[in-house]
Amino acid sequence: MTQERDQDPTTPYYDRPTGGWGSLKSVLKHAAKDRIGLGTLDTLRRQNKPGGHMCTSCAWAKPPSPHLAEFCENGAKATIWDLTRSRCGPDFFARHTLTELRTWCDHDLEAAGRLTHPMRYDPASDRYVRTTWGQAFTAIGQALRDLDPKSTVFYASGRASLETSYLYQLFARLYGHNNLPDSSNMCHETTSVALKRTIGAPVGTCVLDDFDHCDLMLFFGQNTGSNSPRFLHPIQQAVRRGCKIVTFNPVRERGLVEFMNPQSPTEMLSGRGTPVSDIYLQLRPGGDIAAIAGICKHLFDKGALDRDFIAKHCHGFDAFEAWIRAQTWDGIEATSGLPRQDLIEVAELYAKAKRVIGVYGMGLTQHVHGGDSVGMLVNLLLMGGNIGREGTGICPVRGHSNVQGQRTVGIAEKPELVPLDKLADLFGFDPPRDTGMTTVEAVEGMIDGTVRGFISLGGNFGRAIPDLARTEPAWAGLDLNVQIATRLNRTHVLAGPGAWLLPCLVRAERDKQKSGPQMVTMEDSLSHIHGSMGRRPPASRYLLSEPAIIAGIAKATLPPNPQVKWDDWVADYGRIRDLIEATYPDQFADFNARMTQPGGFYRGNSARERDWQTESGKAELTIPASLSALGGDPAPDAFTLVTLRSNDQFNTTVYGFSDRLRGLSGDRMIVLISREDMARAGLADGQRIALVSAADDGIPRRVEGLSVVPYDLPRGCIAAYYPETNPLVPLSLYDQASKTPAYKSAPVRIET
Ligand SMILES: Nc1nc2c(c(=O)[nH]1)N[C@H]1C(S)=C(S)[C@@H](COP(=O)(O)OP(=O)(O)OC[C@H]3O[C@@H](n4cnc5c(=O)[nH]c(N)nc54)[C@H](O)[C@@H]3O)O[C@H]1N2
Ligand SMILES: Nc1nc2c(c(=O)[nH]1)N[C@H]1C(S)=C(S)[C@@H](COP(=O)(O)OP(=O)(O)OC[C@H]3O[C@@H](n4cnc5c(=O)[nH]c(N)nc54)[C@H](O)[C@@H]3O)O[C@H]1N2
Ligand SMILES: [Mo]
């Protein structure tokens, strides 16, 4: 079973390794387009290293002894995008009404450049007009005081630092709500809930060192080559040591097929990379539960289980065994779309391996039974004692660069995750104890009009959510809409009266406050905390830092409180870190001293120590609600739509129109579909089609103007880009335990 086995030669694919010259060329193209200077190159040289700034792209770990250039193609693009010389200031807004800007595409809105001035929406001219920070804070404070706190949402995208995030959650609670969804609620909230329930810790258990000791890695629905390319280095090293890699993904993602290290002259010159996956299985979307059930079934038949570990550490074994034995191979094959023999082959590898790591991403989390899929991967790892031992573990690969950290310091709608008594003591108030809104509930509240105020700490909420067409009218009707941002995006142009657009510094920029230049911190995917220092001159003299903006709004909103010292905290972020340490003393001891440690400092993980902080005090083996992670079988004439990221975007930020690693370029309005399904549906190459919703909730949804591209995909599955196809994702389909939207399985029909 070689990696090339199933490649359909008649559909587009990239025939070169991930990384390599293609990656270098792509970076240089963006560098030229954004007219970057020598300062940006210096910034890149220091990126992800002690004393430099921590990349704003993905959350992958930063090693203690970094490479000469410890950044990837996408990290470089993110920095170049942040440090562009293009500006989107008052003169830009004077030229364009919001009605006009709503006709622009995502790429063109952001390409207008960095936001430079605080702006307010003026209904008379339908434009954003210049304002001052003082006027903005006073008016926003007044509006918040007029609103019921429970009717407001404070959203956060996962980029803001630990310092900003701590102030933000404190502000929300002092004001009176826990409505603190963050991008995690569209992403790895499935992980936070499922891992907490099964292993008692809401985050992954691996550290970088584990990748030097594992002998098998299983990849489920994580596109390393595009979304966390620096992870390819430890993978490449592991492969060279003889570690086996097995990938489960409906799409043959190039980065998990072959990788060329741009930092290795021999590979670059020879043009030959390292093959990555030993076995690559193109399962059906939502087929992971079934695939893992098949692997476990064979392990049970063979008796290849770590019985001592299970007896000592696991709860629920008998029920799990009974469930696995009750599953038929027919059911497993039909649901996973994989032949029994392939799953047995993986089970044999698993049985032989001594140290196994399970890696996963959105392919597991963004389904109706995503939590069950994560639970099944935990089950599989537990069968071999593969959690809490060197070289083993569960490794969710987080998205935004500080999304995990935001949860760690209290941006959470679930009050039980936050030490509210500590906050009460430290700041002399009575924090709200009721559960706040998730992303899905915030969207529901916007549609039904109960959400009246919205603050967005970064992000592009109106574009990233499911069913976005249904919320579009709601934005203009909000009483208050505050967008703290670096670049113009779709959410900003949906605005109406009550809207404010507040520009902030990016992480690579110098952040000077009363006590001098400030550092900020973030937490990577492997729970290490890093200090980050920005050195570039700010894009405009009117920018404020994120902590200063939060503090400015909070001061204008809340009554004075001698224990709440917004000005002192903004003057010296070290004092905010002291507060984080006081709130979380076990994890953040000596925070200010340790934040510059090379490789970051580890905040620890109980499950890694086999201290299972679960209901039973043991690791929980869980039984999924169904063999498929989908909400139900799609109708016979319907398809399961998987929404994908290209190699040339970061979420809703579209850098360009190339998806090099999938052999695609030039157009994002495309639908990928197998030749077999094309024939079944009577479609021709390049034919224009519309997709319509096949969800059974009766709500019409439609995206037009997509062209058909034949692609190597399993039958019944089609794929298209996020966010262009977000109007097709029903708000009513989400992970049952965490309410993470089911972005990887929207039921749709094709209309010609
Ligand atoms: N360059 C770049 N980097 C990024 C981002 C970006 O947009 N661009 N976004 C960041 C963020 S916020 C996040 S959360 C991460 C996202 O990174 P990933 O977790 O990799 O998320 P996706 O690219 O959405 O999808 C991952 C893979 O899941 C596969 N998949 C779909 N359905 C299934 C399924 O049912 N089962 C299995 N096994 N696989 C399936 C898809 O084919 C795809 O390859 O990346 C982060 N890094
Ligand atoms: N269909 C579909 N939808 C999805 C997904 C999917 O796979 N498929 N993935 C989901 C996932 S995993 C996620 S995480 C969400 C992402 O949702 P968000 O995090 O809300 O979206 P982003 O596109 O990352 O936000 C980009 C904007 O953030 C602002 N920004 C950038 N840097 C900064 C900064 O330093 N500070 C501030 N204040 N603002 C900044 C810029 O104005 C930029 O326009 O989307 C989700 N939506
Ligand atoms: Mo994400």
Side-chain angles (χ1 to χ4, degrees):
M1 195 161 5
T2 69
Q3 23 143 0
E4 294 302 334
R5 186 188 56 169
D6 291 328
Q7 183 68 55
D8 168 358
T10 70
T11 66
Y13 71 101
Y14 186 62
D15 62 359
R16 272 154 291 167
T18 304
W21 294 111
S23 150
L24 205 60
K25 241 166 59 189
S26 171
V27 170
L28 292 176
K29 195 175 105 198
H30 284 280
K33 210 166 75 183
D34 275 281
R35 298 177 291 133
I36 64 154
L38 287 177
T40 303
L41 293 179
D42 185 56
T43 304
L44 283 171
R45 186 174 63 79
R46 296 169 190 267
Q47 186 155 312
N48 294 333
K49 296 181 188 168
H53 91 289
M54 295 300 138
C55 180
T56 51
S57 195
C58 79
W60 184 250
K62 287 92 189 156
S65 33
H67 296 87
L68 185 60
E70 187 56 46
F71 59 85
C72 65
E73 169 180 349
N74 286 310
K77 279 185 203 164
T79 302
I80 291 166
W81 196 250
D82 278 354
L83 298 181
T84 175
R85 290 191 201 172
S86 308
R87 296 288 178 267
C88 180
D91 52 332
F92 172 90
F93 290 107
R95 287 196 304 273
H96 307 288
T97 62
L98 293 206
T99 306
E100 182 206 333
L101 290 172
R102 281 195 283 271
T103 66
W104 289 27
C105 73
D106 298 300
H107 170 270
D108 293 353
L109 290 172
E110 286 219 18
R114 287 283 303 281
L115 299 166
T116 56
H117 291 68
M119 310 292 288
R120 112 186 124 71
Y121 177 71
D122 170 44
S125 63
D126 185 32
R127 286 177 170 85
Y128 276 114
V129 295
R130 193 172 164 177
T131 182
T132 65
W133 285 106
Q135 282 168 357
F137 291 154
T138 307
I140 294 167
Q142 182 61 51
L144 283 172
R145 273 180 279 129
D146 290 345
L147 282 168
D148 172 2
K150 305 275 194 248
S151 74
T152 67
V153 171
F154 288 15
Y155 170 69
S157 167
R159 227 172 239 200
S161 64
L162 292 172
E163 292 78 1
T164 307
S165 304
Y166 185 86
L167 293 189
Y168 196 51
Q169 61 83 30
L170 179 62
F171 173 31
R173 296 190 162 106
L174 286 163
Y175 174 53
H177 67 72
N178 287 311
N179 296 335
L180 284 161
D182 76 351
S183 60
S184 183
N185 288 91
M186 300 185 245
C187 181
H188 269 291
E189 191 57 14
T190 314
T191 295
S192 311
V193 174
L195 290 189
K196 178 75 190 113
R197 172 172 171 224
T198 53
I199 60 170
V203 298
T205 63
C206 292
V207 298
L208 265 184
D209 231 28
D210 291 321
F211 297 92
D212 293 336
H213 299 282
C214 55
D215 48 18
L216 174 64
M217 277 192 242
L218 305 170
F219 279 81
F220 287 87
Q222 202 271 328
N223 185 10
T224 320
S226 282
N227 298 335
S228 50
R230 287 182 304 107
F231 185 11
L232 291 173
H233 295 286
I235 295 174
Q236 194 187 30
Q237 280 161 13
V239 168
R240 292 209 175 124
R241 280 192 293 107
C243 174
K244 300 280 180 219
I245 311 269
V246 179
T247 299
F248 294 85
N249 196 315
V251 184
R252 291 181 61 80
E253 302 287 21
R254 203 58 207 160
L256 291 167
V257 174
E258 189 181 14
F259 171 61
M260 186 194 289
N261 186 346
Q263 312 205 2
S264 153
T266 18
E267 288 190 358
M268 291 292 275
L269 293 174
S270 73
R272 240 174 299 135
T274 312
V276 180
S277 295
D278 297 273
I279 302 178
Y280 201 116
L281 298 177
Q282 287 179 268
L283 81 180
R284 291 177 55 191
D288 304 87
I289 295 175
I292 298 174
I295 299 170
C296 289
K297 198 170 174 59
H298 187 67
L299 293 177
F300 276 105
D301 288 348
K302 238 178 108 86
L305 308 173
D306 186 340
R307 298 241 169 225
D308 293 344
F309 171 83
I310 293 168
K312 190 157 170 222
H313 291 285
C314 299
H315 174 253
F317 179 75
D318 292 344
F320 179 62
E321 175 170 20
W323 185 81
I324 288 288
R325 292 202 187 274
Q327 303 311 309
T328 64
W329 278 108
D330 284 352
I332 289 170
E333 289 189 326
T335 308
S336 66
L338 299 174
R340 170 180 183 168
Q341 202 43 48
D342 287 2
L343 295 172
I344 289 179
E345 202 173 330
V346 179
E348 290 288 338
L349 272 185
Y350 184 90
K352 248 194 277 162
K354 297 200 170 62
R355 298 156 192 265
V356 184
I357 291 178
V359 180
Y360 68 93
M362 300 298 99
L364 280 204
T365 63
Q366 294 176 336
H367 284 296
V368 170
H369 299 296
D372 286 345
S373 306
V374 174
M376 273 305 276
L377 181 54
V378 169
N379 292 340
L380 173 60
L381 291 169
L382 292 173
M383 290 301 99
N386 283 306
I387 294 183
R389 192 155 56 82
E390 185 181 59
T392 70
I394 183 130
C395 181
V397 181
R398 303 296 301 238
H400 269 299
S401 53
N402 193 37
V403 65
Q404 186 169 311
Q406 297 198 329
R407 283 284 194 244
T408 302
V409 298
I411 293 192
E413 75 288 353
K414 301 179 182 67
E416 64 277 15
L417 299 182
V418 185
L420 293 178
D421 294 336
K422 268 270 166 54
L423 294 179
D425 272 0
L426 281 168
F427 306 107
F429 77 117
D430 191 11
R433 306 269 166 174
D434 52 335
T435 299
M437 294 180 203
T438 59
T439 285
V440 165
E441 289 150 358
V443 175
E444 287 166 351
M446 288 193 67
I447 293 171
D448 70 21
T450 50
V451 167
R452 302 305 316 147
F454 198 100
I455 300 186
S456 202
L457 177 57
N460 188 1
F461 192 80
R463 193 65 171 145
I465 51 176
D467 250 343
L468 56 88
R470 291 172 62 207
T471 57
E472 273 179 13
W475 288 100
L478 289 171
D479 296 322
L480 177 69
N481 173 7
V482 181
Q483 299 286 328
I484 303 167
T486 56
R487 293 240 191 189
L488 189 63
N489 65 40
R490 175 86 35 209
T491 307
H492 308 153
V493 301
L494 294 173
W500 302 82
L501 187 50
L502 306 181
C504 63
L505 297 173
V506 297
R507 204 180 286 160
E509 285 170 342
R510 189 166 57 227
D511 182 354
K512 199 155 176 261
Q513 303 294 343
K514 278 213 183 96
S515 69
Q518 303 297 313
M519 287 184 82
V520 291
T521 51
M522 32 242 89
E523 174 177 342
D524 67 32
S525 240
L526 307 184
S527 307
H528 284 63
I529 316 283
H530 307 262
S532 173
M533 182 66 147
R535 295 172 191 275
R536 299 301 305 145
S540 138
R541 51 194 276 247
Y542 299 101
L543 301 184
L544 291 185
S545 74
E546 289 175 324
I549 296 172
I550 308 294
I553 299 174
K555 253 176 72 173
T557 307
L558 304 170
N561 169 342
Q563 282 154 272
V564 176
K565 302 172 184 171
W566 300 109
D567 291 336
D568 291 359
W569 299 339
V570 173
D572 178 0
Y573 299 173
R575 296 188 187 134
I576 309 176
R577 287 187 286 274
D578 289 339
L579 295 172
I580 295 176
E581 181 174 341
T583 313
Y584 305 91
D586 297 339
Q587 301 171 57
F588 286 94
D590 273 337
F591 191 2
N592 274 302
R594 289 200 294 161
M595 69 175 175
T596 47
Q597 192 170 305
F601 72 85
Y602 188 44
R603 74 174 172 87
N605 181 315
S606 47
R608 193 179 162 77
E609 312 301 324
R610 296 192 168 171
D611 162 13
W612 315 105
Q613 300 187 358
T614 59
E615 233 167 70
S616 65
K618 290 189 168 188
E620 296 282 346
L621 294 165
T622 50
I623 295 175
S626 94
L627 195 56
S628 163
L630 309 184
D633 278 336
D637 61 335
F639 291 87
T640 302
L641 169 68
V642 172
T643 57
L644 291 177
R645 306 168 146 76
S646 81
N647 182 54
D648 216 7
Q649 74 183 87
F650 190 92
N651 297 338
T652 67
T653 298
V654 177
Y655 300 128
F657 293 83
S658 149
D659 195 358
R660 195 183 77 249
L661 299 179
R662 296 200 183 102
L664 302 166
S665 77
D667 191 3
R668 292 180 54 88
M669 292 300 282
I670 56 174
V671 179
L672 309 181
I673 176 170
S674 70
R675 289 248 181 237
E676 216 183 339
D677 279 334
M678 276 175 70
R680 182 164 67 107
L683 300 172
D685 235 352
Q687 185 177 344
R688 287 271 167 177
I689 57 152
L691 290 180
V692 298
S693 183
D696 55 13
D697 57 8
I699 297 175
R701 301 180 179 88
R702 186 180 185 87
V703 170
E704 311 239 7
L706 295 155
S707 44
V708 171
V709 175
Y711 210 76
D712 182 15
L713 284 176
R715 239 188 116 154
C717 155
I718 61 176
Y721 288 122
Y722 144 59
E724 286 78 354
T725 50
N726 278 40
L728 294 165
V729 181
L731 186 61
S732 54
L733 292 183
Y734 45 74
D735 171 45
Q736 295 302 287
S738 67
K739 291 209 163 175
T740 304
Y743 292 119
K744 295 290 182 267
S745 43
V748 294
R749 285 194 179 83
I750 294 176
E751 271 186 19
T752 50

